[in-house]
């Protein structure tokens, strides 16, 4: 029965296509053909936790550990986390407090305007089984306090990857941060970053410890190339990697557009190249769909999930080693992947991106980034194709006819391949409002983030190395090649 059924599926897929197919040829081996390749980090998709909210996520939100471990089940590695954000520059270290964080807010939805944290904050971070970047304060211009906090991090955390010295420094003047009391511009900030990197790095007696940059305003004004040009060898020895923040914003349709995502990532090309030239990694240290906690009409939707997926893959393809998706105030966070009571739809996009890149050594994009249709291939360490990911970024609002697009795949081995589909009611669907979104037929349950339902694979018949699959507007397909 099975072979007959898959043939019927293939025929229907061809028959239902209304526009001409897009054709992609899968290289039989990595680093061959007319394609660019990028290395894949063991865990390229990570999470950024707003500084003051980090203890809450790990002590008072039960989904957190399960949501992270679902990705570890795919890759074998706990996802990397970064702790930081605007409140890192409002936080002061207090060696005497036994609390993780101390602050008061008028409303639980608010972020504190000032806070203190103790060494137990580092102890909690040290218990996480993945790597951790800790963002410390530069805005308050209290170097000794930051050195004390950095020492507590280095001494208390064997999983510490790097330390940031300040968050989004271009906003220091508008945030009335003391360090920006006089003139403040990219070159003044660069001199400040460099002096702090030398002071903190030498106090710790640790090289390769600082995650530098951390601006949100677009390069070239604020960015790695601009910063690196000001750094001498003494400074560079303390730099672990360079990071930038990015919140593309827009409508659901513009956010999820594949050509829009590709254009947005190209903004960082020169900065990535400048970091790689130094032999250092470049990452998105804090990012998500729309700044300021997200937009209610955009960030919690299936379109934003598709953005999350394609953005993480396009970033990796552009040699951006890791992408840390930001999570803010618990209970007041439109773009969050999970909360205390419900799942966030974007989690599904991050999950399929992680599943696609799991255990891969390299990947390529088969498309040029100029259309709405994307195709990626991931390869193992022997250069053998592991998986392909296809994305139809045509926008489907939920009303009217839903179009579909045929993808012709060439270069397949064997007579069939299996696939799992990321499907949603529409680009506007929200799982926290009863919308239906599934990956391979499965869902993630509210409150505990457990996988639910049985895993469903489609079988796609191939003949002469070719197969045709159809993807509805606002849909993605993960094809298993091995
Ligand atoms: C945990 O969350 C609940 C619900 O918002 C809140 O009332 C409680 O204070 C939180 N506890 C801690 C330790 O953060
Ligand atoms: C390198 O730069 C740092 C920070 O700007 C400065 O303190 C140091 O004197 C410089 N070293 C040399 C050898 O120029
Ligand atoms: C990523 O970096 C590698 C090695 O430096 C380079 O060959 C490749 O072309 C880069 N990828 C892209 C998409 O630019």
């Amino acid at each position: 029965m099975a072979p007959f059924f898959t043939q019927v599926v293939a025929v229907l897929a061809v028959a239902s296509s209304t526009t001409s197919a897009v054709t992609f040829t899968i290289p039989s081996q990595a680093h061959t053909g007319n394609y660019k390749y990028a290395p894949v980090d063991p865990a390229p998709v990570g999470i950024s936790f707003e500084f003051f909210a980090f203890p809450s996520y790990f002590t008072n939100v039960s989904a957190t550990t399960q949501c992270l471990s679902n990705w570890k089940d795919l890759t074998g590695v706990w996802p990397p986390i970064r702790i930081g954000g605007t409140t890192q520059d409002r936080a002061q270290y207090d060696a005497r407090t036994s609390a993780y964080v101390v602050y008061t807010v008028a409303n639980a939805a608010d972020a504190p305007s000032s806070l203190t944290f103790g060494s137990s904050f580092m102890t909690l971070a040290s218990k996480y089984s993945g790597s951790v970047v800790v963002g410390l304060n530069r805005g308050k211009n209290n170097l000794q306090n930051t050195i004390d906090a950095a020492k507590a991090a280095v001494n208390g955390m064997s999983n510490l990857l790097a330390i940031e010295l300040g968050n989004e420094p271009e906003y220091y003047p508008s945030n009335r941060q003391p360090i920006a009391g006089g003139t403040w511009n990219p070159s003044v900030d660069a001199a400040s970053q460099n002096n702090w990197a030398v002071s903190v790095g030498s106090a710790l007696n640790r090289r390769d410890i600082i995650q530098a940059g951390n601006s949100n305003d677009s390069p070239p004004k604020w960015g790695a190339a601009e910063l690196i040009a000001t750094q001498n060898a003494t400074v560079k020895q303390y730099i672990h990697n360079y990071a930038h923040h990015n919140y593309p914003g827009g409508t659901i349709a513009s956010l999820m557009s594949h050509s829009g995502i590709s254009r947005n990532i190209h903004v960082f090309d020169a900065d990535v190249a400048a970091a790689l030239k130094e032999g250092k990694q470049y990452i998105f240290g804090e990012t998500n769909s729309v700044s300021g906690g997200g937009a209610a009409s955009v960030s919690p939707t299936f379109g934003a999930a598709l953005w999350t997926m394609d953005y993480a893959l396009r970033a990796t393809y552009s040699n951006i080693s890791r992408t840390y998706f930001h999570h803010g105030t618990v209970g007041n966070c439109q773009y969050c992947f999970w909360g205390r009571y419900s799942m966030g739809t974007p989690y599904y996009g991050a999950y399929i991106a992680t599943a696609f890149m799991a255990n891969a050594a390299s990947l390529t994009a088969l498309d040029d980034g100029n259309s709405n249709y994307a195709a990626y291939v991931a390869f193992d360490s022997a250069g053998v194709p592991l998986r392909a990911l296809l994305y139809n970024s045509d926008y489907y609002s939920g009303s009217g006819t839903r179009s579909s697009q045929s993808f012709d795949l060439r270069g397949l081995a064997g007579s069939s391949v299996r696939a799992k589909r990321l499907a949603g009611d529409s680009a506007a669907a929200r799982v926290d409002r009863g919308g239906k979104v599934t990956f391979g037929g499965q869902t993630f349950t509210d409150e505990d983030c457990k996988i639910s339902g049985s895993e469903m694979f489609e079988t796609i018949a191939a003949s002469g190395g070719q197969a045709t699959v159809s993807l509805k507007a606002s849909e993605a397909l993960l094809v298993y090649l091995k």
Side-chain angles (χ1 to χ4, degrees):
M1 271 310 281
F4 170 72
F5 179 70
T6 54
Q7 291 219 331
V8 171
V9 170
V11 169
L12 284 177
V14 174
S16 70
S17 71
T18 48
T19 49
S20 64
V22 286
T23 301
F24 294 110
T25 301
I26 292 159
S28 57
Q29 183 73 25
H31 307 291
T32 65
N34 198 20
Y35 301 115
K36 289 178 175 172
Y37 293 81
V40 177
D41 193 90
V45 181
I47 299 289
S48 165
F49 294 101
E50 182 61 43
F51 192 93
F52 85 95
F54 156 72
S56 247
Y57 273 101
F58 278 86
T59 61
N60 204 16
V61 179
S62 37
T64 300
T65 299
Q66 185 65 43
C67 278
L68 295 166
S69 90
N70 289 341
W71 299 351
K72 181 229 155 207
D73 290 346
L74 297 168
T75 64
V77 181
W78 284 86
I81 68 168
R82 172 259 188 176
I83 303 165
T86 307
T87 57
Q88 87 186 52
D89 278 309
R90 299 176 183 172
Q92 295 273 269
Y93 181 59
D94 178 0
R96 293 158 309 172
T97 183
S98 61
Y100 299 127
V101 277
V102 181
Y103 62 83
T104 52
V105 285
N107 186 310
D110 295 342
S113 55
S114 75
L115 66 148
T116 58
F117 62 102
S119 60
S120 58
F121 188 96
M122 311 304 186
T123 307
L124 181 63
S126 77
K127 289 185 180 145
Y128 182 60
S129 303
S131 74
V132 183
V133 173
V134 176
L136 298 177
N137 196 322
R138 186 161 51 98
K140 288 206 190 299
N141 204 12
N142 188 344
L143 178 62
Q144 190 54 52
N145 188 268
T146 291
I147 287 173
D148 293 345
K151 283 184 173 167
V154 165
N155 295 334
M157 297 171 59
S158 60
N159 55 349
L160 182 71
L161 186 67
I163 288 169
E164 294 175 10
L165 300 171
N167 175 79
E168 300 178 0
E170 62 271 39
Y171 308 132
Y172 282 168
S174 50
N175 294 338
R176 293 197 202 82
Q177 286 287 6
I179 201 163
T183 302
W184 194 254
N185 56 40
S187 71
V188 175
D189 170 63
S192 161
Q193 289 215 23
N194 297 343
N195 287 331
W196 278 59
V198 172
S199 300
V200 175
S202 59
L204 297 173
N205 195 23
R206 279 274 291 261
R207 295 177 172 212
D208 299 323
I209 188 67
I210 305 299
Q211 177 162 299
N214 311 302
S215 285
N216 182 54
D217 265 13
S218 294
K221 189 175 179 194
W222 295 86
E226 165 264 324
L227 180 59
I228 288 166
T230 69
Q231 294 182 327
N232 62 26
T234 309
V235 174
K236 284 177 186 172
Q237 69 182 329
Y238 294 114
I239 308 301
H240 178 269
N241 66 282
Y242 295 89
H244 210 92
H245 297 182
N246 187 31
Y247 290 89
T251 61
I252 301 175
S254 70
L255 180 75
M256 66 178 274
S257 151
H258 177 61
S259 57
I261 289 165
S262 177
R263 256 196 317 278
N264 177 246
I265 301 282
H266 276 308
V267 168
F268 303 93
D269 286 351
D271 273 15
V272 176
L276 294 186
K277 204 170 153 225
E278 298 299 325
K280 316 261 186 197
Q281 291 185 328
Y282 185 91
I283 66 153
F284 280 143
E286 184 192 308
T287 191
N288 219 318
S289 52
V290 186
S291 63
S297 58
V298 175
S299 302
T301 67
F302 185 54
L306 292 165
W307 168 79
T308 303
M309 169 196 77
D310 193 28
Y311 176 76
L313 300 188
R314 209 74 190 177
T316 306
Y317 172 60
S318 286
N319 284 312
I320 297 171
S321 302
R322 288 177 297 287
T323 299
Y324 294 77
F325 289 92
H326 197 52
H327 283 59
T329 311
V330 178
N332 183 19
C333 185
Q334 300 293 347
Y335 49 51
C336 280
F337 292 180
W338 64 86
R340 191 173 276 122
Y341 306 113
S342 48
M343 287 302 298
T345 319
Y347 183 77
Y348 287 78
Y351 186 89
I352 187 176
T354 302
F356 169 69
M357 293 191 279
N359 301 305
S362 65
L363 63 66
T364 186
L366 304 180
D367 67 282
D368 63 7
N370 293 323
S371 82
N372 267 0
Y373 315 113
Y376 299 92
V377 182
F379 302 84
D380 68 14
S381 57
V384 176
L386 283 175
R387 303 170 200 103
L389 188 140
L390 310 176
Y391 174 36
N392 177 355
S393 78
D394 286 343
Y395 173 67
Y396 176 60
S397 69
S399 64
T401 309
R402 189 170 192 170
S403 63
S404 59
Q405 175 64 44
S406 288
F407 286 67
D408 276 352
L409 297 180
R410 310 273 163 92
L412 296 169
S415 61
S416 70
V417 286
R418 298 198 309 162
K420 281 167 73 172
R421 199 169 289 259
L422 179 63
D425 289 340
S426 75
R430 291 177 58 159
V431 296
D432 60 329
R433 297 251 173 106
K436 189 152 189 239
V437 172
T438 54
F439 175 52
Q442 295 179 301
T443 59
F444 299 94
T445 56
D446 289 340
E447 291 185 44
D448 68 8
C449 204
K450 293 236 164 82
I451 300 186
S452 156
S454 40
E455 189 178 31
M456 276 164 42
F457 286 91
E458 302 171 27
T459 303
I460 302 157
S463 160
Q466 302 189 15
T468 302
V469 288
S470 177
L471 272 75
K472 290 181 190 163
S474 310
E475 203 171 72
L477 190 72
L478 178 54
V479 182
Y480 294 81
L481 302 171
K482 205 181 144 183

